[in-house]
């Protein structure tokens, strides 16, 4: 059951389970001549498989920044990881963003632009381990706020939670997701806490978009900027480099 569709002259197929009518009694089944928004789920199949579900479109919007990131910054040989995400997400109590999972599976943990250290599950060093840092940062932040440091206004909303996903080497900043009840992981805001001060800076983008903006020198941030001279080859090479944990921690 499903519907054959044409997208820019190419034939595709939307399974009934990937059309809103499969999830809602009030949504009519697809009909000839209908126009709808859809995303590609599997371009290798013939015909290609599409989805018209809003949840799949949110995931696709987030993942669209991982491809330009891998072109700009090629993953290391052997960087591919297999992660038991169900176990990780079960321990954290949340579903993680699809683009973060794609980054970890593609690169593994390590350092982008010689600056931003991507946290990963099961890292041999707890400083760069996702689950270890969730617990550690919660404890550290609670102590700071109890001591009188001002909480960011974004946390005034009930049920909001911070989950760290990256650490900025040298400066000591942490990058978090701002997790809100009822907000899909692909819609989470990235928020930075400066390493040597009380300030916070929010960016309404995905983690892969945040990394891409930093590495292209286009980040709208007080804490990141491109090289002073765009023609400095060394600086540009550093911005588009990734060093895996296997090289940094064990090398």
């Amino acid at each position: 059951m499903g519907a054959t569709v044409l997208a820019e002259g190419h034939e595709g197929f939307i399974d009934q389970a990937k059309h809103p009518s499969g999830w809602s009694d009030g949504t009519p089944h697809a009909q000839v001549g209908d126009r709808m928004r859809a995303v590609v789920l599997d371009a290798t199949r013939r015909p290609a498989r599409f989805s018209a579900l809003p949840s799949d479109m949110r995931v696709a919007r987030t993942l669209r920044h991982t491809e330009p990131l891998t072109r700009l910054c090629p993953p290391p040989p052997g960087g591919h990881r297999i992660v038991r995400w169900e176990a990780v997400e079960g321990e954290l109590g949340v579903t993680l963003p699809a683009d973060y999972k794609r980054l970890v599976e593609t690169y593994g943990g390590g350092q982008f632009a010689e600056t931003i250290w991507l946290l990963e599950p099961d890292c041999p060093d707890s400083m760069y381990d996702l689950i270890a840092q969730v617990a550690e940062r919660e404890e550290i932040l609670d102590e700071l706020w109890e001591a009188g440091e001002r909480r960011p206004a974004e946390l005034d909303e009930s049920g909001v939670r911070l989950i760290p996903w990256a650490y900025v080497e040298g400066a000591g900043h942490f990058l978090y997701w701002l997790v809100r009840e009822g907000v899909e992981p692909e819609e989470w805001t990235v928020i930075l806490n400066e390493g040597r001060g009380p300030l916070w800076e929010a960016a309404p983008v995905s983690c892969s978009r945040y990394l891409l903006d930093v590495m292209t020198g286009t980040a709208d941030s007080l804490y990141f900027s491109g090289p002073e001279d765009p023609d400095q080859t060394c600086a540009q090479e550093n911005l588009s480099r990734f060093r895996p944990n296997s090289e940094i921690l064990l090398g």
Side-chain angles (χ1 to χ4, degrees), residues 115-116 137 141 149 152 154 162-169 171-178 189-204 210 214 219-224:
T115 305
I116 301 179
R137 297 309 301 173
L141 289 174
E149 184 170 303
E154 288 83 357
L162 293 172
I163 295 181
W165 61 271
Y167 170 73
V168 181
E169 189 73 19
H173 311 321
F174 264 90
L175 293 166
Y176 297 87
W177 288 296
L178 190 65
T189 291
V190 169
I191 186 167
L192 178 149
N193 178 213
E194 64 177 355
R196 299 181 179 88
L199 299 183
W200 294 74
E201 180 185 74
Y210 196 94
V214 170
D220 184 15
S221 170
L222 295 174
Y223 301 95
F224 296 103

Side-chain angles (χ1 to χ4, degrees), residues 51-134:
S51 173
L53 295 180
S55 58
D56 287 332
M57 285 188 272
R58 284 194 297 268
V59 170
R61 276 202 311 272
T62 303
L63 289 177
R64 74 176 184 268
H65 295 112
T66 61
E67 289 188 11
L69 187 61
T70 56
R71 289 196 299 269
L72 173 69
C73 178
H80 180 75
R81 277 202 59 191
I82 297 175
V83 180
R84 295 179 59 245
W85 290 114
E86 287 186 4
V88 173
E89 293 170 334
E91 189 161 353
L92 294 177
V94 294
T95 299
L96 295 168
D99 68 323
Y100 167 76
K101 292 188 278 192
R102 176 76 63 83
L103 289 174
V104 171
E105 291 169 353
T106 302
Y107 290 91
Q111 203 177 77
F112 285 92
E114 296 192 343
T115 305
I116 301 179
W117 209 311
L118 182 69
L119 306 183
E120 64 171 336
D122 302 318
C123 179
D125 189 323
S126 63
M127 178 66 193
Y128 310 108
D129 178 77
L130 175 69
I131 292 175
Q133 282 305 308
V134 169

